[in-house]
Amino acid sequence: MSRRQLHQSHVPDWAQTQNFQQANTASGTLADLEDMFNSPSRNGNGNGSNRNGGDTHDDPNTNPPEEPPEDAFFALLRQDDESKFMENRPKPQKNRRRPPNSSNNQYTSIKPKVSTRAPSLKKKQPPPPPPINKAQQECDEAFFGMLRGSGGGGGKKPDMQLGAVSPRIPTPRSSVESVNLSRPTSSSSLRNSREAPPARRTRRKKPEARNPHDDMVISSGGQGAFSDQTYLDKVIEDDKKKWELMQKKKEKENGRKSKKPTGIKRSNSIPGKSSSTNADPSSSKMNNPKPLSVHRVQSKMDFDVQNGPQGGEKDTRRNLDKRTARLRHAPHFSAAVKYWRVKNEGYNCNYNHREQVYDDSATTSRSINGVSVFVRKRPLFDYEKKRLDYDVVSVKSYSERDCDEVVVHNCGMHPDMKKMLHKPTRYKCSAAFDQFASNDDIFNNVGRPMVEKCLTGSIGTILMYGQTGSGKTYTMTSIEERATGFLFDLIGREEERGEEFTVALKFIELAGKKAVDLLGRKQGAAVKIVDEIMGMGHSVDEVKEEEAGGAEEQELDVGESLLLVNNKSDLPTGRIRADFEEFGVKKMIEMEKSLKMGGDKGSYVLVLMNSGEAASMALARLAGEYPDMLRVDKQTGLQMGLDPSDLGVAKNGGANGPVVTVKWKGAAELEVTSTEQMLKYISVGKSRRATEATDVNGTSSRSHAVLQITLLRKGERGSKKRGVLTLIDCAGSERRNDSMYHDKARQKESAEINNSLWALKNCIRARCEILEKPNTFIPYRSSLLTRVLRESFERDTALLSIIATAAPNATDTEHTMETLKTVSTIVGTEKDVEEIETEQVMQAHKLQEMLVAQGSGGGGGGAEKPTRTVIMPIKWSHEQLKRWLTKARGGEFQQVAKRVVKSDTGKTIMAQTIPKLERSLCQNDNMLATSLYNNLRGESDKIAKVLLKERKSRQALAKGQEAY
Ligand SMILES: Nc1ncnc2c1ncn2[C@@H]1O[C@H](COP(=O)(O)OP(=O)(O)OP(=O)(O)O)[C@@H](O)[C@H]1O
């Protein structure tokens, strides 16, 4: 075998394709091209159509079966998405593919001729070429035409002469083939591979198990495989680099010099010899690398993403983790998701919502137990699109009244690694915002009602929750800015009415087990989080006390107000009560005689005093009369049958003790008088907050930031009301993958962040259980974050809004699902988490193609092509009604628009008769009322017609799909 043939036999298809493309560029010589496509090695079997790689070469005498033009493949090419994939796909690195000893010239001149591999090894004299398949030729021409049109394949224009030659795109199977050929890894096997006659070698070669995964890709039309495969190179190459970096760091930390040689050599010493788990660079195999097999080097498919370059798994199926598989089949999965959106009405993203503003009830009416959960999906970033990530989060369209659903499309492989599966899971929330929702939309729905409530004396908390890089800080910053402006607007209006307000600001960060002040003179001053038992709610006296310099803060235990009296003399309860009455008795309970207390059996009375002080006094003064009197804790009180509400245990608090007021000892509290001042303080605090650049986010928050705005309203006769607005921007939860390249300190930090979020999750879960089991213990004290949040969870009057931010990219599917699962639990809607039907993606893919062919766009409401949806007047919100009244009939109803009140919506106005409209909105103008009445109905009819038309076209489409 000539050296050239040998080389041909070892060059995998992807490398051939690269050269194939190189040869087709302007810089390639015509001679090269002719040489390439006329050479026997290319057309040796007369087939030239080499898509199935080694299969066709096993028996060169057999003509390949005629294949019909691959409609699916070309239709796929037509899609915009596909062109994007082709445009964006990373270019393979030439150097990696180059055999070590080949010179540049040699390489480029040889490679184009080796698009088929085996024939030259198997048959010295190739059989005469069979007639060229005409249908195939047409396909080929169409293919190149397509490439030119779509800019696919990197925009390189193949010569039309090539139409006679198969334009088959190499598939992953081809790559696998190259792996199989190169499987011998020892030097002897390499030698054998050079010396042994090809026929013998072919006979000796054990039949390799066909990789079903490759079959699947081939059957999918190849286009996806082409771009995916190229992309996969990049993914794996990146992972490889990361892995090497991590190993170096690890070794550095251990104080050892890195023994692991870098580069490709090392990665090829193990395959075929060691198990995939043998990734330890210090292993003996690593220290004695075997000679290289060039083909192993080039086989990206063999790189084990999990175990690093030494993974060396023979079976590619095992080498694909779910994230890689997801990206590898991006075109198919993405089509399946889009198709799902087409089939499921209401998930079409549109621009309408920009004009929509919810009424105030969004936060309160949609909340469960005072807790509302909002979900905000961020847009897919360009860098994510570039790495072929796609959008897997569908939000029920904002124009729908009940936009309270988020669906996450979990795309993955069936365990058999043949079928691609698409599992959509639905999560419920109070309201969901798609990627088009503006910061104003979020504020109007979440922040505005909260600020209004706080002004009237409520405790309101907004908490951002979600994975790192999903947009928590982005959203919270916008809320802070808007809330500040809105707050001072409201205060200004109230002050005009003679009210007086004091606004104070505190800002701390919670990092691990430390709370640090962000506004104090001394940067990094520690803050102590203290729970104070102050009874239910804030009394005026308490506020006064605070103003007067603050009462000496005490950490009280409810046990201090509980006394257990041993009634040895069997005194009537009334008599005992009389003794304790002067100190302030809240409740007395006669206990069972069998109660065993300190070894004594007898009759006991449990006395709940008004305060700890009262209990102390009673204990001191009545010790003589009741010598065995004891102070007992709240738990004992509960066990003995005391009513939890008597103990100050919140209705939702269960066994968690009384409702407490959480105080931040040592945190600077700055009085603020204007929006500008407040924003300045906030930005100072933020600049002190710990952020760092991570792989996922350039300015990732490494701590939980807690901002507290206290409003003190001074009313008549010196009364005061205190409202508190707390804004918490949590640090993002991280996956192991996100933090595996961090140094030790950062890893510890990430672990602490995850711990506190874990504690938050546990509290959320326990809080939900309380409805069924009132004595459920909520582990508030397990983290600083939950301690700060305790009041918001417990107080009956407190409002808590959680905004869960969701990253739409497929790579983060699990993370997004976990976030949504947690937050949907809090509103008790975890039952709504359901898996919708499982679809086979290929089927969806075909249907999606059909939609594209029918000209419906098939975008399925993806982010790219929003459609405009009309809404029936009866479903109009107050804002929509107002907008229509302002604009309709050239402004005829402008006066009416000014008169509508907040409770007026499309529904209320449509329910009114002409006389009613006349009285309520038209100032007894019968003509105006009649016109309004008729025009509303006219509008209704018009919209109904549009909707009917839409529905009909959808039905027609559905019928077409069935036929298909
Ligand atoms: N809805 C959105 N629209 C546009 N850009 C967004 C949106 N949400 C987030 N981003 C951008 O995404 C990047 C990451 O956002 P951000 O820093 O808010 O994430 P995070 O969840 O706070 O991350 P971490 O937890 O790591 O701090 C920022 O550059 C931000 O501008």
Side-chain angles (χ1 to χ4, degrees):
M1 180 198 290
S2 71
R3 188 177 167 180
R4 182 165 154 167
Q5 280 170 326
L6 178 71
H7 178 60
Q8 286 166 5
S9 70
H10 290 284
V11 177
D13 275 6
W14 56 265
Q16 294 162 17
T17 314
Q18 191 192 350
N19 272 302
F20 171 86
Q21 287 176 348
Q22 280 170 356
N24 286 319
T25 58
S27 60
T29 64
L30 193 60
D32 278 349
L33 288 174
E34 282 170 1
D35 187 22
M36 178 173 93
F37 292 105
N38 295 332
S39 75
S41 66
R42 169 105 194 148
N43 287 331
N45 60 3
N47 180 14
S49 177
N50 192 28
R51 184 163 162 243
N52 289 332
D55 285 355
T56 51
H57 302 307
D58 285 344
D59 185 1
N61 296 320
T62 314
N63 285 338
E66 277 195 12
E67 288 177 27
E70 293 173 350
D71 290 338
F73 176 41
F74 295 127
L76 183 63
L77 271 177
R78 275 195 292 275
Q79 291 179 44
D80 283 355
D81 279 3
E82 299 308 300
S83 336
K84 276 180 207 160
F85 278 119
M86 296 295 283
E87 277 166 19
N88 293 334
R89 72 193 168 87
K91 302 274 183 296
Q93 294 171 17
K94 290 177 200 167
N95 293 344
R96 280 183 60 234
R97 326 299 191 216
R98 201 165 288 158
N101 296 327
S102 64
S103 75
N104 285 355
N105 291 340
Q106 218 180 349
Y107 187 63
T108 43
S109 61
I110 291 173
K111 260 187 143 182
K113 299 173 187 174
V114 292
S115 57
T116 57
R117 281 165 279 112
S120 58
L121 290 173
K122 294 169 188 171
K123 288 271 172 187
K124 282 178 186 170
Q125 293 299 321
I132 293 165
N133 180 345
K134 213 177 167 195
Q136 185 58 57
Q137 195 171 357
E138 280 167 17
C139 285
D140 296 340
E141 281 167 12
F143 168 75
F144 286 120
M146 217 56 89
L147 274 186
R148 279 192 213 97
S150 65
K156 287 171 182 155
K157 291 183 181 181
D159 195 311
M160 278 312 284
Q161 276 183 348
L162 307 185
V165 184
S166 169
R168 297 295 186 175
I169 290 170
T171 63
R173 176 166 174 72
S174 313
S175 302
V176 177
E177 285 297 325
S178 76
V179 171
N180 296 338
L181 283 173
S182 62
R183 184 143 293 140
T185 50
S186 68
S187 57
S188 63
S189 56
L190 187 69
R191 210 168 39 244
N192 286 343
S193 71
R194 285 180 183 158
E195 289 164 5
R200 213 174 145 213
R201 191 166 175 263
T202 313
R203 261 205 319 277
R204 259 205 232 154
K205 200 177 128 192
K206 276 188 183 175
E208 289 293 332
R210 262 175 82 82
N211 183 351
H213 192 65
D214 302 328
D215 293 346
M216 174 192 66
V217 176
I218 290 165
S219 70
S220 72
Q223 170 64 15
F226 177 67
S227 50
D228 292 352
Q229 177 59 35
T230 321
Y231 177 65
L232 193 68
D233 296 348
K234 175 87 173 66
V235 171
I236 292 173
E237 188 62 25
D238 283 353
D239 271 336
K240 190 172 161 183
K241 277 184 196 155
K242 280 184 179 177
W243 189 90
E244 283 174 357
L245 201 73
M246 195 184 69
Q247 289 301 323
K248 272 187 196 166
K249 270 189 187 167
K250 230 183 198 176
E251 282 168 12
K252 231 181 190 178
E253 270 173 23
N254 293 340
R256 276 187 283 125
K257 206 181 156 214
S258 171
K259 287 178 185 173
K260 181 182 168 297
T262 51
I264 298 159
K265 249 188 173 177
R266 169 66 65 191
S267 68
N268 288 280
S269 58
I270 304 297
K273 290 271 173 191
S274 65
S275 74
S276 63
T277 50
N278 188 8
D280 181 6
S282 59
S283 73
S284 60
K285 281 178 184 173
M286 291 300 302
N287 296 330
N288 301 301
K290 303 267 180 197
L292 273 182
S293 152
V294 170
H295 315 290
R296 297 295 300 184
V297 174
Q298 292 171 346
S299 159
K300 303 81 50 192
M301 296 286 287
D302 268 10
F303 179 77
D304 188 325
V305 183
Q306 298 293 337
N307 297 318
Q310 275 73 44
E313 285 281 355
K314 288 178 189 174
D315 189 345
T316 35
R317 278 178 289 172
R318 259 177 272 157
N319 285 349
L320 285 178
D321 73 321
K322 57 188 165 197
R323 287 183 188 92
T324 313
R326 235 173 240 154
L327 293 186
R328 189 175 173 190
H329 304 294
H332 308 295
F333 284 133
S334 160
V337 172
K338 285 179 182 176
Y339 179 66
W340 183 92
R341 287 180 189 143
V342 169
K343 281 201 308 179
N344 290 273
E345 256 185 83
Y347 287 90
N348 292 355
C349 300
N350 64 67
Y351 292 126
N352 259 3
H353 70 271
R354 282 185 187 281
E355 300 155 15
Q356 255 197 357
V357 181
Y358 280 11
D359 47 37
D360 285 358
S361 60
T363 316
T364 41
S365 70
R366 285 159 187 255
S367 69
I368 297 173
N369 306 327
V371 183
S372 312
V373 171
F374 299 91
V375 177
R376 184 183 198 183
K377 171 190 171 188
R378 72 154 167 77
L380 198 65
F381 295 140
D382 281 346
Y383 77 86
E384 287 168 333
K385 286 181 197 163
K386 270 188 190 146
R387 70 177 188 211
L388 305 186
D389 228 327
Y390 47 96
D391 183 349
V392 292
V393 178
S394 299
V395 173
K396 193 135 190 199
S397 178
Y398 205 94
S399 61
E400 304 284 317
R401 211 47 203 134
D402 301 316
C403 60
D404 55 357
E405 264 182 30
V406 184
V407 174
V408 181
H409 307 269
N410 189 359
C411 301
M413 302 306 292
H414 189 273
D416 68 3
M417 289 304 276
K418 278 184 184 174
K419 283 178 236 142
M420 289 179 267
L421 296 179
H422 161 224
K423 284 184 188 173
T425 308
R426 182 175 285 137
Y427 299 89
K428 282 267 181 186
C429 56
S430 306
F433 302 89
D434 58 31
Q435 66 271 38
F436 300 115
S438 66
N439 287 332
D440 282 331
D441 291 328
I442 309 289
F443 176 70
N444 288 334
N445 288 284
V446 188
R448 188 184 286 267
M450 196 68 97
V451 174
E452 280 170 353
K453 291 266 162 11
C454 290
L455 209 69
T456 57
S458 292
I459 293 179
T461 306
I462 300 177
L463 173 97
M464 300 301 309
Y465 182 81
Q467 75 177 83
T468 180
S470 56
K472 295 181 297 300
T473 309
Y474 177 84
T475 306
M476 185 49 96
T477 307
S478 74
I479 291 177
E480 282 161 4
E481 285 164 4
R482 285 162 181 75
T484 307
F486 181 58
L487 179 69
F488 280 99
D489 272 0
L490 285 184
I491 288 177
R493 265 182 253 163
E494 293 286 318
E495 280 177 345
E496 278 172 19
R497 284 191 228 151
E499 299 270 0
E500 265 185 68
F501 280 92
T502 313
V503 183
L505 182 71
K506 282 195 242 175
F507 200 3
I508 61 167
E509 74 173 333
L510 311 174
K513 288 176 186 135
K514 274 195 225 153
V516 176
D517 189 17
L518 292 174
L519 290 181
R521 275 173 204 277
K522 196 176 141 205
Q523 196 166 342
V527 175
K528 201 175 165 199
I529 307 293
V530 177
D531 301 338
E532 277 192 6
I533 301 157
M534 307 288 271
M536 307 288 278
H538 296 264
S539 67
V540 175
D541 290 344
E542 178 195 323
V543 175
K544 271 185 184 163
E545 251 179 18
E546 270 180 24
E547 267 217 326
E552 190 54 35
E553 286 175 304
Q554 289 175 301
E555 276 198 71
L556 297 179
D557 183 348
V558 74
E560 291 185 19
S561 62
L562 265 181
L563 299 173
L564 190 69
V565 179
N566 191 347
N567 188 8
K568 276 188 174 163
S569 326
D570 272 342
L571 292 172
T573 320
R575 167 72 213 285
I576 298 174
R577 186 169 191 121
D579 287 346
F580 284 80
E581 198 77 73
E582 60 175 302
F583 307 105
V585 175
K586 202 169 176 189
K587 194 162 186 171
M588 291 185 76
I589 293 179
E590 216 168 339
M591 310 308 303
E592 290 197 8
K593 290 201 175 173
S594 60
L595 180 81
K596 200 169 180 198
M597 198 73 206
D600 277 348
K601 275 192 178 180
S603 154
Y604 289 86
V605 176
L606 191 67
V607 187
L608 176 64
M609 305 299 292
N610 275 341
S611 65
E613 214 177 307
S616 300
M617 283 168 65
L619 198 62
R621 297 241 200 108
L622 300 174
E625 282 180 54
Y626 305 96
D628 295 335
M629 189 161 59
L630 287 172
R631 270 193 168 175
V632 290
D633 64 6
K634 168 209 72 190
Q635 205 62 37
T636 313
L638 284 170
Q639 280 168 8
M640 290 177 178
L642 214 60
D643 189 340
S645 62
D646 291 330
L647 283 171
V649 178
K651 213 160 55 186
N652 298 337
N656 294 280
V659 170
V660 296
T661 301
V662 180
K663 298 245 164 172
W664 306 352
K665 274 189 177 177
E669 188 162 18
L670 307 180
E671 198 174 317
V672 193
T673 50
S674 69
T675 310
E676 294 73 34
Q677 200 181 15
M678 171 107 70
L679 289 177
K680 205 172 120 196
Y681 288 157
I682 292 175
S683 80
V684 168
K686 283 197 166 172
S687 66
R688 291 177 171 187
R689 191 184 168 194
T691 58
E692 260 182 83
T694 62
D695 281 357
V696 184
N697 185 2
T699 50
S700 178
S701 316
R702 310 309 297 165
S703 63
H704 309 298
V706 190
L707 180 87
Q708 196 168 74
I709 302 169
T710 312
L711 305 161
L712 216 58
R713 181 198 279 258
K714 289 176 196 162
E716 291 163 15
R717 287 178 275 127
S719 69
K720 286 178 186 171
K721 254 187 189 171
R722 193 174 80 150
V724 182
L725 176 65
T726 310
L727 305 176
I728 305 180
D729 177 15
C730 287
S733 55
E734 288 183 354
R735 284 179 298 139
R736 196 170 57 85
N737 273 10
D738 297 330
S739 58
M740 68 191 287
Y741 309 112
H742 293 177
D743 58 28
K744 243 186 183 171
R746 287 273 300 283
Q747 277 189 352
K748 195 174 163 218
E749 198 178 65
S750 299
E752 276 170 353
I753 292 171
N754 282 351
N755 278 349
S756 58
L757 293 172
W758 177 250
L760 175 65
K761 249 195 255 183
N762 282 341
C763 286
I764 288 173
R765 208 170 296 143
R767 191 185 178 280
C768 297
E769 279 174 21
I770 260 180
L771 292 176
E772 283 167 20
K773 298 181 209 158
N775 276 344
T776 306
F777 176 72
I778 305 180
Y780 289 120
R781 295 187 76 88
S782 52
S783 82
L784 279 182
L785 178 65
T786 44
R787 285 187 67 184
V788 167
L789 270 171
R790 181 172 182 166
E791 227 175 321
S792 313
F793 270 159
E794 280 188 349
R795 281 188 186 275
D796 284 344
T797 52
L799 294 170
L800 172 64
S801 286
I802 298 181
I803 304 180
T805 47
N809 52 319
T811 319
D812 288 325
T813 306
E814 282 77 16
H815 217 150
T816 307
M817 286 173 76
E818 189 54 41
T819 302
L820 295 178
K821 191 175 162 199
T822 303
V823 294
S824 59
T825 309
I826 202 167
V827 286
T829 56
E830 76 277 24
K831 290 183 199 88
D832 290 321
V833 179
E834 53 167 309
E835 281 187 0
I836 311 171
E837 84 275 26
T838 296
E839 283 176 321
Q840 286 210 359
V841 175
M842 297 307 295
Q843 184 62 13
H845 191 193
K846 281 179 188 167
L847 292 171
Q848 163 78 9
E849 280 170 16
M850 201 197 70
L851 291 177
V852 173
Q854 286 188 358
S856 69
E864 307 82 12
K865 287 182 181 172
T867 54
R868 215 178 159 81
T869 312
V870 282
I871 305 169
M872 290 291 281
I874 201 158
K875 288 185 180 174
W876 284 346
S877 65
H878 170 72
E879 296 297 326
Q880 282 174 324
L881 172 69
K882 211 167 166 181
R883 207 175 312 121
W884 182 84
L885 288 171
T886 314
K887 290 179 185 169
R889 289 184 61 83
E892 185 185 334
F893 308 119
Q894 263 179 7
Q895 289 308 313
V896 181
K898 284 179 192 164
R899 274 176 230 133
V900 289
V901 289
K902 271 206 161 165
S903 56
D904 285 331
T905 60
K907 195 174 177 182
T908 57
I909 205 163
M910 288 295 284
Q912 291 188 37
T913 55
I914 295 176
K916 224 171 174 187
L917 282 174
E918 199 180 318
R919 282 196 304 275
S920 63
L921 292 170
C922 301
Q923 291 198 321
N924 298 325
D925 184 342
N926 180 269
M927 292 257 286
L928 186 67
T930 313
S931 171
L932 177 62
Y933 183 89
N934 290 336
N935 274 297
L936 276 168
R937 268 135 198 91
E939 185 74 12
S940 210
D941 292 345
K942 225 162 55 185
I943 291 174
K945 272 182 198 160
V946 174
L947 290 176
L948 187 71
K949 212 170 149 189
E950 269 182 23
R951 199 176 314 135
K952 274 187 179 167
S953 67
R954 261 198 311 272
Q955 280 167 358
L957 201 64
K959 270 186 193 165
Q961 284 163 13
E962 275 164 30
Y964 182 86

